[in-house]
Amino acid sequence: MKTKRLVMAGVMAMALAGGAGTALALGDGTAQTTTAAADGTGSVAPAAATATTAGPRVVQPYRPVEIGQGAKMGLLPQGRQNYVVAWEDFASAVEQAKGYVGDSIRPNSLSGGLQTDGDDALFTGAFRTDTVPSRITVRVGAGPEQAAGMLMLPGEPGWGTYYLDAAGAGAPRETTVVTAYGADGAVLATLSFEPFAAGR
């Protein structure tokens, strides 16, 4: 049975180089909820949003989008890079997040988070780039790059989110690298973090 968790992900995201993120996880406490360290450089959607290589999916503020493993992601116009990931009571999570400003990550940077539940892993984070990424990938160790889904608010907010459902993959045991690419294949931003210590 899945452990139900709620993560104020916009607040959970780590600011890159010169900023420290904060984390708030609400649930029954039995799931591991961890924020990855950063390197220096409406109504429920009926179906899970799929990964894309054609840029982010544009969604309305507060709209819950299913991102896998029963989790829903929603983007907020309040604050900076402010979004939520909730496994239950999405509406309450959004209302709570409206009181946070989020973390303003550096320009042309990524933030990242990882939630694990047994053998299931869910990668989430935000991008803040001058150019909207055409795609974002997640690679663990020497494994293949996996395309992440991306979401963005209407207009030109200058930021958006990404997610990758890695059900069954277990917690990463090697360095994880997240990369944002432009339409021409150029790297817009990268983020890497080491595996978490056992027992955390």
Side-chain angles (χ1 to χ4, degrees):
M1 179 177 173
K2 285 283 184 189
T3 302
K4 300 298 184 183
R5 300 150 295 172
L6 176 149
V7 179
M8 308 305 293
V11 180
M12 186 181 81
M14 292 295 288
L16 296 183
T22 57
L24 172 62
L26 305 176
D28 63 10
T30 60
Q32 179 186 19
T33 302
T34 314
T35 300
D39 68 348
T41 51
S43 61
V44 175
T50 56
T52 178
T53 57
R57 171 182 168 186
V58 177
V59 296
Q60 294 301 312
Y62 318 117
R63 178 175 175 82
V65 177
E66 296 179 7
I67 60 172
Q69 302 178 38
K72 296 177 179 69
M73 176 180 279
L75 283 62
L76 285 72
Q78 295 93 347
R80 303 165 298 187
Q81 296 89 53
N82 195 3
Y83 66 100
V84 298
V85 175
W87 280 257
E88 56 187 17
D89 204 355
F90 179 86
S92 293
V94 167
E95 287 304 311
Q96 188 173 357
K98 287 179 180 179
Y100 294 96
V101 296
D103 282 323
S104 185
I105 62 178
R106 276 193 340 195
N108 299 309
S109 295
L110 297 163
S111 68
L114 169 65
Q115 295 82 46
T116 60
D117 185 1
D119 287 335
D120 296 336
L122 182 65
F123 297 89
T124 58
F127 64 84
R128 180 186 177 195
T129 53
D130 294 337
T131 301
V132 176
S134 175
R135 64 191 179 102
I136 292 178
T137 64
V138 178
R139 181 199 296 268
V140 178
E145 285 190 317
Q146 300 179 73
M150 296 184 288
L151 303 175
M152 189 173 69
L153 292 172
E156 299 181 4
W159 70 279
T161 61
Y162 68 89
Y163 58 90
L164 176 66
D165 179 1
R173 298 180 181 275
E174 299 176 88
T175 301
T176 298
V177 178
V178 183
T179 307
Y181 294 95
D184 60 356
V187 173
L188 303 177
T190 61
L191 167 72
S192 64
F193 53 91
E194 299 302 316
F196 304 117
R200 282 192 174 182

